[in-house]
DNA sequence: CGAGTCCTTGAAGGTGTTCAAATTACGTGG
DNA sequence: CCACGTAATTTGAACACCTTCAAGGACTCG
């Protein structure tokens, strides 16, 4: 069993709906390809077309480049998630691995091409695109309305939801991205992020160990700091 | 010919692809409905489901409510455009008319339900969702990286692209939204928006007349103020 | 163990916010 | 058609938060 077969098999089990026809699965198998990236490698695939990227192992960031210094991280991808990578539109997007990663790349056209009569692949594509839209809007709301404290607290809670691994100690998470990358995703500077870490440490909300291990000590306090919306109608 | 027929006819001509089957068109016609809204009316439809809303006349905003005071406008919709309105997820979204508007509302399920063998409706849905995703990401990048000046300059240029009407004087646009709504969409306060208007007026970039008429005097200067990315590789 | 990078901390400054008040625009009724 | 009342906008001043610039310290990799 090749590496690709294993990878595609995992994708099939975890993402593809059960009722897919063999023809659809075979076509997808033919169009998709595996990508093994080292830390900071950027995924190089045909930039004219949209792609869906399934993250099997590791972690990745989708970056939009602006001026030389400032860049914005549009999305993170963790194992089991799918990132939508736009093709050559107006802006320059890149998918970059945060740590050694195994990815399965699926050209969007292979999902959009006519597929059987129940259009299972199209349905998969639209479902993933809508998920991406929801995440992007949530992100935009965060960037438009929240303070630095709220952003980092929300970020940490989000990372705990998405990034907990079987081998991590409970309540503890390994952040695969640097402070700089956290800053670029929250629309802040690295110094502000660092200061927020320190203050939240001093408040007894979290504990850190090394550069990337974070333990949540006070879940309620952290949720409060993230500025949860009251459940009013 | 009823108002709905006219509205749906326009939608058919301007949005639906030519090769749609009559069955698809009829089903869509059966599921879609017209909505006539006065200024500040909010579109009330079943909030559990996603909807696509075609704006025929007027203008609308898609708002996310957070705490009582702060809200974020996620998208504007102008004639000819389609807004994706998410259903009952975690957040509270509302579609609200900025001025008297005619909308055509299409429940997402009526596009997602199996449709013929070429899945024309599904294709339409995915195309619109991807457009919405692109706009949302562009918006997130703006909110994460741009200054107040850049945001308002970019906003005005965007409005000129999307909102020019046949009866407007050239170089001049009617903004259907208040300063408050501009602020809520740019992630700023109303005072900051007003100050930026004043400064851009003093710089000779724009001219304003009344509350909603804006004339661009210096296109190049405004584009520069918007912080155009140099076309470097 | 050493070198380099990443992270933290400090101090000063800028940009946008908040609070408050004056002014302008617009719809309504006379 | 003009005057008035209300709401939106503009402006001012003080302040808060985040950024910038700068330097010291810690972690990780080879």
């Amino acid at each position: 069993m090749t590496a690709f077969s294993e990878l595609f098999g995992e994708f099939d089990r975890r993402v593809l709906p059960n009722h897919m026809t063999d023809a659809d699965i075979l076509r997808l198998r033919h169009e998709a390809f595996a990508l093994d990236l080292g830390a900071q490698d950027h995924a190089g695939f045909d930039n004219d077309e949209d792609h869906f990227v399934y993250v099997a192992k590791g972690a990745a960031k989708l970056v939009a480049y602006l001026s030389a210094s400032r860049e914005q991280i549009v999305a993170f991808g963790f194992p089991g998630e799918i990132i939508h990578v736009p093709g050559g539109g107006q802006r320059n997007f890149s998918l970059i691995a945060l740590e050694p990663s195994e990815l399965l790349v699926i050209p969007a056209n292979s999902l959009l091409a006519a597929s059987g009569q129940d259009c299972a692949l199209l349905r998969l594509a639209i479902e993933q695109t809508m998920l991406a839209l929801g995440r992007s809007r949530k992100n935009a709301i965060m960037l438009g309305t929240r303070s630095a404290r709220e952003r980092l607290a929300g970020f940490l809670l989000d990372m705990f939801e998405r990034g907990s691994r079987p081998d991590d100690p409970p309540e503890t998470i390994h952040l695969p991205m640097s402070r700089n990358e956290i800053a670029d995703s929250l629309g802040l500077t690295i110094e502000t992020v660092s200061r927020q870490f320190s203050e939240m440490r001093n408040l007894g909300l979290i504990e850190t160990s090394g550069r990337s291990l974070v333990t949540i000590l006070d879940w309620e306090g952290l949720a409060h700091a993230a500025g949860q919306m009251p459940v009013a109608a």
Side-chain angles (χ1 to χ4, degrees), chain A residues 3-218:
Chain A
F4 174 79
S5 283
E6 267 185 69
L7 183 54
F8 190 87
E10 176 187 329
F11 174 72
D12 186 5
R13 285 193 307 279
R14 300 188 54 170
V15 176
L16 294 182
N18 292 328
H19 55 71
M20 291 264 299
T21 65
D22 288 349
D24 277 349
I25 294 181
L26 279 175
R27 203 158 54 67
L28 208 51
R29 220 184 131 93
H30 183 257
E31 307 246 18
F33 56 91
L35 218 50
D36 252 312
L37 297 181
Q40 301 307 320
D41 284 355
H42 74 6
F45 38 69
D46 179 9
N47 201 24
D48 287 345
E49 192 185 339
D50 288 9
H51 293 268
F52 292 95
V53 177
Y54 173 75
V55 181
K57 288 200 181 64
K61 62 176 175 178
L62 178 62
V63 187
Y65 292 105
L66 301 133
S67 47
S69 62
R70 204 118 177 116
E71 58 188 63
Q72 175 72 28
I73 293 181
V74 168
F76 286 115
F78 290 97
E81 299 180 348
I82 292 178
I83 308 182
H84 173 268
V85 182
Q90 51 275 38
R91 272 170 209 284
N92 243 349
F93 290 97
S94 280
L95 185 72
I96 300 182
L98 298 172
E99 54 186 15
S101 300
E102 288 179 26
L103 311 176
L104 184 72
V105 182
I106 300 147
N109 283 348
S110 67
L111 296 181
L112 302 184
S115 54
Q117 58 253 45
D118 69 340
C119 307
L121 290 180
L122 264 182
R123 261 167 241 287
L124 176 66
I126 199 173
E127 185 184 323
Q128 290 301 327
T129 310
M130 283 189 165
L131 284 175
L133 176 59
R135 289 189 295 253
S136 173
R137 281 177 167 165
K138 189 175 164 188
N139 202 35
I141 292 168
M142 181 274 290
L143 292 169
T145 62
R146 320 239 83 140
S147 69
R149 169 70 48 84
E150 291 171 325
R151 293 182 197 192
L152 186 60
F155 173 81
L156 289 177
L157 290 171
D158 191 39
M159 288 302 108
F160 267 83
E161 268 182 35
R162 296 162 66 184
S164 50
R165 302 180 187 185
D167 56 330
D168 285 339
E171 320 284 282
T172 295
I173 201 181
H174 163 82
L175 297 179
M177 70 289 287
S178 70
R179 298 290 132 99
N180 222 317
E181 288 164 328
I182 296 176
D184 283 341
S185 87
L186 299 181
L188 302 167
T189 60
I190 176 176
E191 294 95 331
T192 300
V193 170
S194 181
R195 264 183 262 272
Q196 291 303 326
F197 264 107
S198 298
E199 289 176 23
M200 287 167 63
R201 214 162 16 211
N202 292 338
L203 288 170
L205 297 179
I206 61 170
E207 208 171 59
T208 62
S209 157
R211 277 172 182 160
S212 66
L213 287 178
V214 180
T215 306
I216 295 193
L217 299 176
D218 179 357

